[in-house]
Amino acid sequence: MPRAPRSPRRPVLLAVAALASFAAGSVATGSDVEDVAERTVVTVLPNGLTVLTLEDRSTPVVSFQMWVKVGSRDESWYTGLAHLFEHMMFKGSKRIAPELHAQLVQARGGRLNAFTSRDYTVYFEDVTSETLPLVIALEAERVANLDISEKTLASERQVVLEERRLRSEDNPNGRAMEALMALTFKAHPYRRPVIGWRSDIEAATVEACRRFFDTYYAPNNIVISIVGDFDGGEALAHVRREFGRLEPAAEIPRNPTREPEQRGERRVSVHFDLRGPILMAAWHAPPTGHPDAEALDVASQILSHGRSSRLYRRLVYEGQQALYAEASYWELLDAGVFYGVAGVRPDASIERVEALFFREIARLRDEPVSDAELEKGKRQLEVMLVNGLVKAHAVASRIARDTAAFGRIRPLAERLEAIRSVTVEDVQRVARTYLVDEKRSVVQLLPPPGGER
Amino acid sequence: MSAARRALLVLGPCLALACAAPWSRPIWERPPPPSRDGPVVQPGSLHRTDLDNGLRVLVLEDRRLPRVSVGVTFRRGEAIVELAKAGLAPFTAELMKRGAGSRDALALARAVDEIGASLSVAAGWDSMSVGVAGLSRDLDRLLEILADVVLRPRFERAEARKARGEQLALLEKQKDDPGTLVRWQVARVLYPEHRYGLPFEGTPASVARLDARAARAFQRRVMLPNDAILFASGDVSAADLLERAGRLFGAWKPANVPEVGPTVPDPTPPGRRVVVVDRPDLVQAHITLAHEGISRTDPERIAAALMNSVLGGSGFSSRLMARVRADAGLTYGVWSGFALRRQPGPFAVGTFTRVSEVRRVVDLLLGELERAREVPPDAAELRDAQTLATGRFALGLETPDAVIASLVDLDVYGLPEDALDTYRRRVRATTTADTERAARRLLHPQRAAIVVVGPAEQLTPQLEDLGAVSVEQP
């Protein structure tokens, strides 16, 4: 992300041509929820740019998002290049001085930022409607005319190194996560930290940034979504005029590497000056959009959503060993991860935390979950889907992500149906399929040996 | 055809399409169009009533989605807690989540989780708040849980032992976070002898003293209907909610409201204090410069906020961000701001940088603070800060929950009910003379305490000539 936390304490700084019906998804409760996303107008420009427009005049906000289908998985030489490049998108273009893009949007009260993940690079502006034409012009300007100079790269490289120190090198969770991904993936580029290794951030060149830009920032590799208080026809005309002149790329190269099967547990200890050790674990899981996704989501709800969840009860409440304990299914394009983390109390033992954590994973494999837990987990997921309709920004993210990943927007009704059809047997089956001991990777983040901090 | 005639022909359709004529300046060089000041809430959707026992009821109807949030906020918090029991408000809040009415901790958690709802009990310096949120079809259950937690918390001793153990463990674990270490040290330096001088969560000594009896006493003292606001937003009917509120909360007995406390803290004394918290392992030092600030109700708070926005409160657009990040590449983020509480909380400027550059960054921060006094915001800077503030205001009120939270906050601090409606007007009415006065009154670089967390061995030599450096352990 180009923008830092406002304060160190509270980090700030975060889906063809068709017009769908008004079909309403019905939450298990019987109350009908209209899925506004089904009113999305999908337009594909001749140069391949996909534009999603969804008017909702009941909100005072319009969210503009540009999802570029490139992430750290696509880097071929310098790790961290996708993220470093994202920073450079704020450093000026032919007609816009460095930093001016952000200043212009902020001076109109807009909220803007960008983030890079393993699969995507996303730029967004949440504004009031009168600022939307400016936002469209500014986004098109930097995609058409980005200017990367030695001078701006030199200073921004230092900014990114500070970001790396903040998030990874001095941050216990960042350290542990870096170690976990490097352990879980031996071949696939998901093993690299999104921010990149220090040596690569220090070495990346202007030429490499330009090549990356030319390769991946093509209109046929971009999805734009606009949601909220705006006029769809006008906005579409603006987007056509500003983005229509961009040339499509003949081909978007993708990394061919796939992760070979893991045969045997992997384990590493990382030493760090800290009082509360951290346990992290990961299992290989299916990529995004897989039919087992909902069962894995239900499993993670049963494990760690709310104070009646299994991990909270065993590790935090009854065991008094951890301050938090969570598990979640993490969907990525090429390969998913089922991820676990526990914050060990300074007065407790990480070995005990690990034993308790893995006992709960084993229970999911060995015993069917109760009907009450199943229903609870499903209900929580349904409510989360409804909560995702509250803000224009969240809706814009959902429709852009779906479109980038699947080429379509998955209707709420479809997703509710997938959640509702999960059975007790499904949860046990996915636990037995994916959450096996021989396929897990374990990181213990510990104080240095010798008892001295 | 004359040139003028041709121009008209081109101009016509362009105007109709609201597009940029080819000879006009690009859109980013044109002044921003005026923002539309729509009403903060839809007319007729907000309802305010006081029950006989003094309980204020605020309901914001918004039927777009089948969701509802309900809660009760009290106008007292950790600030009235005596030093020896620091951390009592968050301890009480935690304990209130661990059993109420006929349900013990686990039964309460199940009642919330099985309907996909959330329960929060939050403590602040100046308020305590209990909130539940979920689907509107579950309103009966949500209100039943709310009433139980507010009126019938169990405060079991076994739960108090566990909660105390967790709070102590958390205090220890928080030392792993350099940002927390900076915050604690800034508070200690600025507010000796005052409640603001100890961590919000308390100290190991004060938390060790907390038990179920203390929590119950605090809850009885603070949670009074005549010092509370019951709020609801989302898919509810105001008439229906009022009727239910009367049934659930009408018999709740009022009592004397405790003094606001604490006494007003002293301003930061003259002279420079430099404190280093020793964390030898860190590669990046966290830096904060701080002195006393203003209260939430300070009459000059809007001028102060706009002045601060130009200095370091506006992210990418601030002078500090331009100087320390964009020009020098010395940090990933830098900010400044006032902690607005009932009594003046700290004003602070914070950032982080590689250990070797700490002195350079401290000098830049001090320099920008001086410059903010000597060269206060000019007309263009102020205008951008004003449009930023009014635009953000609209964005910040996107959801009914956000609107009701803002209204409750105004009530907690006794600010005018119409403050949201008048906010944008007050921002626009602020002049450069106002922000200049605010800068001169509120910024004091000469007596700002300098607190740095990192390896003392490398930091102390960099800072020594600024004043005597005291080195503290985490």
Side-chain angles (χ1 to χ4, degrees), chain A residues 19-38:
Chain A
L19 185 61
S21 70
F22 280 72
S26 152
V27 173
T29 61
S31 43
D32 284 336
V33 186
E34 191 219 338
D35 182 12
V36 288
E38 299 197 14

Side-chain angles (χ1 to χ4, degrees), chain B residues 151-281:
Chain B
L151 302 173
R152 292 173 286 277
R154 290 163 71 125
F155 293 117
E156 287 171 17
R157 276 191 298 195
E159 295 295 340
R161 269 195 304 278
K162 284 183 180 169
R164 184 171 56 232
E166 271 181 38
Q167 197 161 333
L168 287 169
L170 184 67
L171 276 175
E172 183 66 9
K173 190 178 167 68
Q174 278 181 302
K175 293 178 183 171
D176 292 342
D177 174 35
T180 300
L181 292 175
V182 166
R183 226 161 12 89
W184 285 354
Q185 203 58 228
V186 165
R188 195 184 69 84
V189 171
L190 296 193
Y191 302 107
E193 313 296 317
H194 192 276
R195 177 63 193 87
Y196 287 174
L198 297 178
F200 178 80
E201 305 83 353
T203 64
S206 71
V207 173
R209 288 189 199 103
L210 304 180
D211 57 17
R213 185 198 299 250
R216 180 181 290 281
F218 183 69
Q219 186 260 347
R220 286 199 174 142
R221 186 170 157 226
V222 165
M223 300 200 171
L224 306 170
N226 46 322
D227 201 27
I229 308 126
L230 171 70
F231 61 88
S233 60
D235 182 23
V236 288
S237 126
D240 175 52
L241 195 99
L242 260 177
E243 193 266 323
R244 290 163 186 258
R247 238 181 315 125
L248 290 166
F249 297 99
W252 191 6
K253 293 276 181 291
N256 289 334
V257 174
E259 292 296 310
V260 288
T263 51
V264 181
D266 295 331
T268 314
R272 170 86 68 216
R273 273 146 323 145
V274 186
V275 180
V276 170
V277 181
D278 190 22
R279 279 282 306 266
D281 57 307

